[in-house]
């Protein structure tokens, strides 16, 4: 069974000031998302599902989805802050979405096969899609048999400031034991990758340390676990205006309960995205080079 690619795109309209400005960073106006869809098709994915906000559905279908027609089946689901489990009501003053794992939950009726989750505006690279597609296509015996792509932190850095990364630790078998969000990872004057820990001490990271860039692999049983954990989250944080239900939050609970294992897959892909405005020219340059090298054709869709 071919896996499905699930694209988290609900934040797009607000971040880009409407889809008309969806940033064309490729040499022929391609968006970063175009590269992910192209790589997914060439890595064995069979369908793409996007989660978006209902208020830009028409724009999204017209400007984005139409180009993928004839290349891969696509579906759309919607994230809304009032879409909560039965018995829960969204506080009237809530404006912030409920986070990435709430976005994942929106696909529970649309996805019945193993699936990968990505951010719409991150460039992950062909190898990352190949390694996760291969893992998702193997037999999965029981529940809680998941994976994630652990990017080497040295392949995710920017010269233009500090970055936040989920730094992963793994068991001897290569399973995820924890993801710790480090908010200010940067290069020091000697070119080492460093961050300041909770005690105020500067720590150095090996460039090969795996970090989470939100490229996860799940089987459909993850939706049931997510719903259960989301209810626990709401019981505690329903009335906290800025609280969010993130994927690592749910995963961490399942690992601690012994209900899930998450295999950390290595990739040599270089991740990039536009974290800072100053990153954009570098992204444009890298993508142009990939076209020149023949990694991507002149016309992808």
């Amino acid at each position: 069974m071919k896996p499905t690619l699930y694209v988290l795109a609900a934040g797009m309209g607000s971040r880009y000031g409407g889809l008309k400005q969806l940033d064309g960073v490729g040499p022929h106006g391609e968006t970063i998302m175009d590269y992910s869809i192209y790589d997914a098709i060439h890595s064995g994915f069979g369908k793409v599902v996007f989660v978006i906000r209902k208020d830009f559905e028409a724009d999204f279908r017209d400007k984005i989805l139409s180009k993928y027609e004839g290349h891969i089946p696509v579906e759309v689901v919607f994230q809304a802050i009032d879409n909560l489990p039965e018995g829960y009501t969204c506080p009237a003053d809530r404006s912030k979405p409920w986070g990435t794992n709430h976005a994942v939950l929106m696909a529970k009726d649309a996805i019945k096969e193993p699936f990968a989750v990505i951010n719409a505006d991150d460039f992950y690279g062909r190898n990352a899609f190949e390694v996760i597609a291969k893992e998702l296509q193997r037999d999965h015996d029981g529940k809680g048999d998941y994976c994630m792509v652990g990017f080497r932190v040295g392949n995710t850095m920017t010269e233009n400031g500090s970055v936040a990364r989920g730094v992963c630790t793994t068991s001897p078998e290569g399973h995820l034991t924890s993801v710790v969000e480090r908010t200010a990872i940067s290069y020091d004057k000697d070119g080492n990758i460093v961050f300041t820990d909770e005690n105020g001490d500067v720590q150095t990271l090996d460039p090969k340390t795996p970090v989470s860039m939100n490229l996860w692999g799940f089987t459909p049983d993850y939706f049931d676990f997510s719903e259960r954990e989301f209810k626990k989250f709401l019981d505690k944080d329903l009335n906290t205006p800025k609280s969010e239900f993130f994927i690592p939050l749910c995963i961490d609970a399942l690992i601690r309960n012994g209900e899930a294992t998450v295999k950390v897959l290595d990739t040599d892909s270089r991740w990039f995205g536009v974290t800072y405005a100053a990153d954009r020219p570098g992204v444009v340059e890298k993508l142009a080079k990939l076209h020149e090298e023949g990694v991507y054709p002149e016309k992808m869709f």
Side-chain angles (χ1 to χ4, degrees):
M1 185 187 287
K2 287 187 167 187
T4 286
L5 183 67
Y6 188 47
V7 183
L8 305 183
M12 276 192 145
S14 53
R15 270 209 299 277
Y16 286 98
L19 288 174
K20 293 179 186 65
Q21 288 79 27
L22 198 70
D23 207 4
V25 283
H28 314 101
E30 298 89 349
T31 66
I32 284 183
M33 196 160 69
D34 289 339
Y35 293 94
S36 292
I37 307 300
Y38 184 87
D39 284 341
I41 292 169
H42 287 80
S43 301
F45 283 82
K47 181 173 82 172
V48 183
V49 179
F50 297 90
V51 59
I52 63 171
R53 289 205 327 263
K54 184 76 181 161
D55 60 346
F56 61 76
E57 180 187 8
D59 221 7
F60 192 83
R61 287 189 185 278
D62 176 44
K63 299 197 167 51
I64 309 293
L65 292 198
S66 55
K67 75 173 98 169
Y68 305 134
E69 273 172 21
H71 295 279
I72 192 168
V74 294
E75 283 181 46
V76 170
V77 297
F78 304 103
Q79 184 178 19
I81 58 171
D82 57 0
N83 189 338
L84 298 179
E86 209 172 316
Y88 295 87
T89 305
C90 185
D93 59 350
R94 176 90 190 187
S95 59
K96 197 174 183 60
W98 292 104
T100 50
N101 213 78
H102 177 253
V104 170
L105 258 178
M106 300 300 101
K108 69 177 182 205
D109 296 326
I111 297 176
K112 305 297 180 196
E113 55 283 311
F115 63 103
V117 177
I118 65 165
N119 293 333
D121 48 2
D122 289 353
F123 180 91
Y124 292 101
R126 178 80 47 85
N127 181 253
F129 285 99
E130 288 169 349
V131 298
I132 201 163
K134 186 179 173 199
E135 177 65 18
L136 291 172
Q137 282 169 315
R138 70 167 174 78
D139 288 337
H140 292 77
D141 302 330
K143 291 183 171 184
D145 183 2
Y146 308 142
C147 62
M148 62 162 277
V149 175
F151 282 78
R152 301 168 192 170
V153 68
N155 284 343
T156 74
M157 298 295 290
T158 171
E159 303 283 345
N160 298 310
S162 65
V163 295
R165 297 285 179 261
V167 178
C168 302
T169 51
T170 56
S171 70
E173 301 77 39
H175 290 143
L176 186 67
T177 51
S178 73
V179 183
V180 179
E181 190 70 18
R182 298 296 181 188
T183 51
I185 301 174
S186 60
Y187 289 113
D188 69 9
K189 62 181 188 333
D190 301 317
N192 299 309
I193 299 171
V194 296
F195 69 90
T196 304
D197 68 15
E198 45 286 332
N199 302 318
D201 298 323
V202 175
Q203 304 285 355
T204 302
L205 281 175
D206 183 306
K208 289 194 172 71
T209 303
V211 293
S212 167
M213 302 307 295
N214 226 25
L215 177 43
W216 299 91
F218 300 119
T219 46
D221 56 275
Y222 186 67
F223 295 120
D224 294 333
F225 283 135
S226 291
E227 187 139 33
R228 183 194 76 194
E229 292 302 316
F230 188 42
K231 287 174 181 172
K232 289 182 192 171
F233 166 86
L234 291 172
D235 289 339
K236 193 165 128 292
D237 285 317
L238 178 68
N239 293 303
T240 311
K242 290 198 159 53
S243 60
E244 289 183 75
F245 181 50
F246 295 117
I247 294 170
L249 203 67
C250 185
I251 285 292
D252 185 54
L254 299 183
I255 290 173
R256 276 189 289 110
N257 295 344
E259 293 176 295
T261 57
V262 179
K263 188 174 176 184
V264 178
L265 309 170
D266 181 42
T267 180
D268 59 9
S269 280
R270 296 188 74 82
W271 174 96
F272 50 86
V274 184
T275 308
Y276 298 96
D279 291 333
R280 193 181 182 281
V283 169
V284 169
E285 197 180 313
K286 286 176 188 133
L287 291 173
K289 192 159 180 274
L290 289 168
H291 281 272
E292 280 164 31
E293 290 167 354
V295 177
Y296 298 104
E298 189 169 330
K299 185 166 170 43
M300 295 199 297
F301 298 105

